[in-house]
Amino acid sequence: MPIRPISPELLVELLADRIAALPGAGTRRLRVAVDGAPAARPGELADALVEPLRLRGLPTLRVPAAGFLRPASVRLEYGKRDADAYHDLWLDDGALRREVLDPLEPGGSGRVLPSLRDPVTDRATRAPYTALAPGGVLLLDGALLLGRWLPLELTVHLALSAAALERRTAREERWTLPAFARYAAETVPAEEADLTVRFDDPRHPALVERA
């Protein structure tokens, strides 16, 4: 597949244009996910989309998937550094659907819980529900989001080579690398996503263009 180098600024504008061109944009609520390992910093790209979308008349709501981890008693059942548990158990995708994605279905209430549990303290955040107006866009970011049958209108995957992932992952987090190797092999996020961006160097991203 052709690879097109693109500046970070143009990437944000291209993604904002792509979201604004989705069916129902401006009238129904849209759900967009930016998927990537923590080393790719998907939250930064999601944050960068907020203002361009607002300028296109699309109010946004940011929700990090890290606010929807399962309780420590579940996700750490096999130890604090179990890569398979990190892949399979950490994200509470049921709560993410129930509290964030399903209310944005056509005819849904539009009331979203921005976070459920603090991943550091393992306590409920007690965040208030937030209403997303019709025509608004939910921007969800996080790792290992694809292949879970989450109801999303657009998915963007920030792809890192194995070497770049290891280089850019903090030493204390490198125990997660086998989880991302498994994700690449089993889910194949570069093919699963609607848009894939090669992100080995965030200063010089490259868009993977499908035929």
Side-chain angles (χ1 to χ4, degrees), residues 17-31 106 153-154:
D17 284 342
R18 177 68 181 266
I19 294 168
L22 289 171
T27 57
R28 62 161 294 187
R29 301 177 182 96
L30 300 174
R31 299 157 295 186
E153 279 66 57
L154 184 72

Side-chain angles (χ1 to χ4, degrees), residues 71-161:
S73 60
V74 176
R75 67 178 191 270
L76 304 181
E77 180 181 359
Y78 301 99
K80 293 183 177 180
R81 296 192 169 196
D82 187 286
D84 285 330
Y86 180 74
H87 181 281
D88 296 337
L89 300 176
W90 278 43
L91 182 65
D92 191 344
D93 42 354
L96 191 58
R97 287 190 190 93
R98 182 179 66 252
E99 302 290 359
V100 179
L101 301 174
D102 288 349
L104 304 182
E105 291 279 0
S109 69
R111 294 178 71 249
V112 170
L113 188 66
S115 64
L116 179 64
R117 180 172 289 104
D118 186 311
V120 177
T121 65
D122 197 42
R123 295 178 179 176
T125 61
R126 301 185 185 279
Y129 282 88
T130 300
L132 181 63
V137 177
L138 170 79
L139 292 172
L140 173 72
D141 74 274
L144 308 172
L145 296 178
L146 304 180
R148 297 175 180 270
W149 304 100
L150 297 176
L152 299 161
E153 279 66 57
L154 184 72
T155 54
V156 180
H157 174 63
L158 303 183
L160 296 177
S161 66

Side-chain angles (χ1 to χ4, degrees), residues 44-78:
E44 292 185 3
L45 179 56
D47 286 341
L49 286 166
V50 171
E51 182 63 11
L53 288 173
R54 185 189 68 80
L55 293 175
R56 288 163 174 78
L58 302 174
T60 62
L61 176 62
R62 284 282 292 108
V63 173
F68 287 86
L69 300 185
R70 287 191 169 92
S73 60
V74 176
R75 67 178 191 270
L76 304 181
E77 180 181 359
Y78 301 99

Side-chain angles (χ1 to χ4, degrees), residues 3-18:
I3 308 297
R4 174 159 64 99
I6 189 170
S7 71
E9 296 78 16
L10 285 178
L11 174 63
V12 170
E13 292 299 317
L14 181 149
L15 292 177
D17 284 342
R18 177 68 181 266

